């Protein structure tokens, strides 16, 4: 009886962090994530992991996260480390200075965007066009089209027009984002998400905005109260995912990872790969959504956050902050000691030991492979076309266990790397050069 009461109180505690609108309760998947004493990273364990000066024992933290995730009360702060916003060897004072500098930078970008579109930062957001297809202002409000030096530069004007044209699309996607959550019933919270996505689209104009980025950004807005902090957390997540959204007239951004997924299945499950090729599914486009938005549709909101922190902890590399902050080349991992390897996540540790540096073989790709492997028998038996494959994979929504899925992904990674090491298959090494934001 006492144990049942504890379970109910624990579930109520979790539900209070991400409350669902009453009318949506029956239509959303029930979360599987549970707080597990001795496994989940608690607030007490988290605060105890810092030295007096503020250095974080990242090895201890990673071990705990990989066992049971993160308590929602500290999730935002933990994610900032997992995503490389801060160096675990930094002090409290170091991080305070970095945080202040980044907030000032965000405020500068926001002020510049406000001059062009005054709605930004007003607590409201746009869902209707403000410029025509050829760049002419609607309702006579053209905003500012001069560059920071006051010059009417044609290239700058083109950038402004393209940016303004995407703002209503961002607004429409914001309206659809995580609708079941009480959090987004408030227009000011929706506007916060719109601000961040709009400013990111201005800063990283090569990518601008692509549908799906709203699904990645939304949790950061919920977890981090300060808008600038949420922006930088999202920007760091985009460092990992940026290539997913880089689309040209001849290719989709996530295509490289789909190709890697195809290569992995070809090695670990040749029979399944052959069947998919016979169905004209050799490009694995049916897994597009999974990889594009990191399985947001396959898991409940709470379980998606749990999955992400498991993945990021398993992919963690202690050099991430330095790599992002300085745009330095990836550090060689040939002579990393076993002691230092404890500061790496399980997935990245396997890559270091085998010398694999292929960015496209991220954990998400192996996770997608594990889902395909899980549906191996059904696909071979029931799939007569690609629509059948999509339907079979659709059945996993709300029925996946995040930790089990990650464990299976690690097993597939080990199997694949073993065969790669034996020379059965080799991925072409590729490490992306990131633009400075």
């Amino acid at each position: 009886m006492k144990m049942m009461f504890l379970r109910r109180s624990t579930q109520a505690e979790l539900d209070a962090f991400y409350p669902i609108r009453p009318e949506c309760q029956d239509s959303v998947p029930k979360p599987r994530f549970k707080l597990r004493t001795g496994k989940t990273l608690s607030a007490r364990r988290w605060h105890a992991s810092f030295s007096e000066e503020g250095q974080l024992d990242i090895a201890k933290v990673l071990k705990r996260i990989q066992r049971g995730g993160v308590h929602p009360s500290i999730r935002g702060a933990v994610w900032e480390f997992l995503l490389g916003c801060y160096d675990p060897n930094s002090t409290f004072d170091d991080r305070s200075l970095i945080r202040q500098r980044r907030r000032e930078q965000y405020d500068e970008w926001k002020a510049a965007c406000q001059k062009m579109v005054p709605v930004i930062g007003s607590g409201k957001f746009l869902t209707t066009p403000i410029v025509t297809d050829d760049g002419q202002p609607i309702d006579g409000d053209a905003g500012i089209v001069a560059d920071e030096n006051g010059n009417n530069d044609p290239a700058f004007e083109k950038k402004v027009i393209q940016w303004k044209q995407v703002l209503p699309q961002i607004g429409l996607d914001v309206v659809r984002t995580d609708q079941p959550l009480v959090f987004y019933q408030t227009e000011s919270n929706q506007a916060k998400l719109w601000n961040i996505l709009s400013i990111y689209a201005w800063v990283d104009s090569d990518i601008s905005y692509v549908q799906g980025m709203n699904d990645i950004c939304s949790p950061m807005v919920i977890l981090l109260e300060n808008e600038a902090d949420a922006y930088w957390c999202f920007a760091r997540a985009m460092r990992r995912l940026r290539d997913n959204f880089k689309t040209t007239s001849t290719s989709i951004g996530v295509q490289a990872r789909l190709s890697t997924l195809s290569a992995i299945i070809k090695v670990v499950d040749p029979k399944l790969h052959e069947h998919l090729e016979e169905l004209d599914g050799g490009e694995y486009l049916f897994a597009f959504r999974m990889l594009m938005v990191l399985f947001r549709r396959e898991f409940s909101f709470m379980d998606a956050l749990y999955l992400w922190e498991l993945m990021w902890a398993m992919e963690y590399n202690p050099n991430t902050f330095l790599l992002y902050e300085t745009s330095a080349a990836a550090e060689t991992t040939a002579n990393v000691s076993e002691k230092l390897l404890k500061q790496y996540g399980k997935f990245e540790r396997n890559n270091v030991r085998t010398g694999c540096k292929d960015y496209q073989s991220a954990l998400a790709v192996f996770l997608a492979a594990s889902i395909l492997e899980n549906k191996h028998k059904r696909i071979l038996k029931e799939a007569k076309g690609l629509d059948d494959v999509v339907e079979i994979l659709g059945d996993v929504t709300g029925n996946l266990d995040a930790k089990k899925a990650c464990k299976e992904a690690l097993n597939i990674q080990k199997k694949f790397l073993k065969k790669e090491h034996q020379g059965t298959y080799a991925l072409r090494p590729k490490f992306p050069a990131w633009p400075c934001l």
Side-chain angles (χ1 to χ4, degrees):
M1 189 72 175
K2 183 178 179 181
M3 181 62 71
M4 186 175 292
F5 173 76
L6 287 173
R7 285 176 182 165
R8 285 177 179 171
S9 62
T10 300
Q11 190 58 48
E13 179 187 355
L14 280 175
D15 292 342
F17 281 97
Y18 318 114
I20 304 294
R21 292 161 53 188
E23 65 272 26
C24 300
Q25 292 282 353
D26 296 332
S27 61
V28 298
K30 301 301 178 187
R32 291 168 170 253
F33 175 66
K34 307 291 182 186
L35 296 176
R36 303 186 186 281
T37 304
K39 292 186 176 181
T40 303
L41 179 65
S42 65
R44 183 181 65 82
R45 288 273 187 178
W46 169 247
H47 295 305
S49 298
F50 290 93
S51 69
E52 189 175 339
E53 293 78 22
Q55 289 93 349
L56 178 64
D57 186 342
I58 192 66
K60 186 187 296 184
V61 167
L62 292 176
K63 184 177 180 180
R64 180 69 64 158
I65 294 172
Q66 290 169 129
R67 290 178 67 190
V70 179
H71 193 283
S73 64
I74 55 169
R75 187 165 262 151
V78 175
W79 279 23
E80 288 182 303
F81 280 90
L82 292 180
L83 289 169
C85 292
Y86 300 115
D87 189 333
N89 293 319
S90 62
T91 65
F92 291 126
D93 289 342
D94 291 336
R95 293 193 291 277
S96 180
L97 290 172
I98 292 171
R99 186 178 294 109
Q100 185 59 35
R101 174 172 56 81
R102 286 179 180 160
R103 288 178 178 179
E104 289 172 357
Q105 175 67 84
Y106 181 75
D107 288 344
E108 287 179 16
W109 287 332
K110 189 173 183 179
C113 291
Q114 280 177 320
K115 287 181 180 179
M116 296 180 286
V117 179
V119 178
I120 288 177
S122 69
K124 298 183 180 298
F125 59 99
L126 298 171
T127 56
T128 56
I130 55 175
V131 293
T132 61
D133 290 343
D134 60 356
Q136 296 303 308
I138 296 175
D139 295 333
D141 185 9
I144 291 177
V145 292
D147 63 21
E148 59 186 7
N149 297 316
N151 301 317
N152 292 319
D153 177 29
F156 180 81
E157 185 173 346
K158 181 180 179 181
K159 177 183 175 182
V160 172
I161 290 170
Q162 290 175 337
W163 175 66
K164 285 184 176 182
Q165 288 172 336
V166 82
L167 296 182
Q169 180 192 341
I170 298 175
L172 291 172
D173 285 347
V174 163
V175 171
R176 294 190 286 260
T177 303
D178 291 321
Q179 285 182 321
L181 298 181
V182 172
F183 182 87
Y184 283 118
Q185 284 189 287
T186 306
E187 186 181 23
S188 60
N189 288 335
Q190 290 180 312
K192 189 175 172 183
L193 175 60
W194 184 74
N195 289 342
I196 292 171
L197 292 169
S198 299
I199 293 167
Y200 183 88
W202 173 253
V203 174
D204 188 359
S205 56
D206 286 343
I207 296 295
S208 183
Y209 172 79
V210 179
Q211 191 175 54
M213 288 165 62
N214 54 313
D215 292 306
I216 303 299
C217 187
S218 172
M220 283 70 169
V221 175
I222 295 172
L223 297 178
L224 294 161
E225 185 176 354
N226 183 280
E227 187 179 302
D229 295 346
Y231 171 88
W232 285 105
C233 196
F234 169 65
R236 287 298 185 258
M238 282 298 295
R239 290 292 187 102
R240 297 165 174 261
L241 301 170
R242 189 175 184 274
D243 280 9
N244 282 7
F245 298 98
K246 197 167 187 176
T247 303
T248 68
S249 58
T250 57
S251 67
I252 55 174
V254 78
Q255 201 162 35
R257 292 196 177 186
L258 292 173
S259 297
T260 302
L261 174 61
S262 173
I264 291 169
I265 295 297
K266 186 177 182 179
V267 170
V268 301
D269 195 340
K271 192 173 182 179
L272 177 61
H273 178 76
E274 183 180 348
H275 183 62
L276 290 170
E277 281 202 318
E278 289 172 356
L279 300 178
D280 200 25
E283 293 185 349
Y284 285 64
L285 290 174
F286 48 78
F288 172 88
R289 189 182 70 180
M290 290 183 190
L291 296 176
M292 190 77 165
V293 294
L294 284 187
F295 308 93
R296 276 295 312 269
R297 301 292 187 274
E298 285 68 38
F299 290 84
S300 68
F301 181 80
M302 191 183 301
D303 287 341
L305 305 195
Y306 176 40
L307 174 71
W308 287 6
E309 62 206 18
L310 284 176
M311 291 172 62
W312 293 336
M314 290 177 179
E315 289 179 320
Y316 187 79
N317 185 312
N319 301 309
T320 301
F321 171 80
L322 182 63
L323 177 66
Y324 289 171
E325 201 73 5
T326 64
S327 295
E331 182 179 290
T332 179
T333 54
N335 299 309
V336 176
S337 67
E338 285 299 315
K339 183 178 180 180
L340 185 58
L341 271 176
K342 292 180 180 179
Q343 296 180 22
Y344 291 73
K346 290 179 181 179
F347 178 83
E348 185 64 10
R349 211 177 295 161
N350 290 338
N351 287 335
V352 170
R353 284 173 173 151
T354 58
C356 177
K357 294 182 181 180
D358 187 358
Y359 164 69
Q360 300 300 346
S361 58
L363 180 55
V365 183
F366 287 95
L367 191 64
S370 76
I371 293 172
L372 284 169
E373 280 291 273
N374 187 259
K375 296 297 180 181
H376 166 99
K377 289 182 180 179
R378 277 196 65 191
I379 293 174
L380 290 180
K381 183 179 180 181
E382 301 175 22
K384 308 302 180 185
L386 288 182
D387 288 344
D388 296 330
V389 177
V390 172
E391 184 178 343
I392 290 168
L393 293 179
D395 290 344
V396 306
T397 301
N399 296 314
L400 286 172
D401 181 289
K403 188 174 181 180
K404 184 180 178 182
C406 284
K407 183 178 180 180
E408 290 172 351
L410 287 175
N411 289 335
I412 290 177
Q413 181 209 22
K414 288 179 181 177
K415 183 178 179 180
F416 179 77
L417 290 177
K418 183 179 179 181
K419 288 182 176 291
E420 182 189 41
H421 185 68
Q422 292 171 343
T424 304
Y425 179 80
L427 286 173
R428 183 177 298 169
K430 177 183 177 184
F431 200 92
W434 301 110
C436 293
L437 295 181

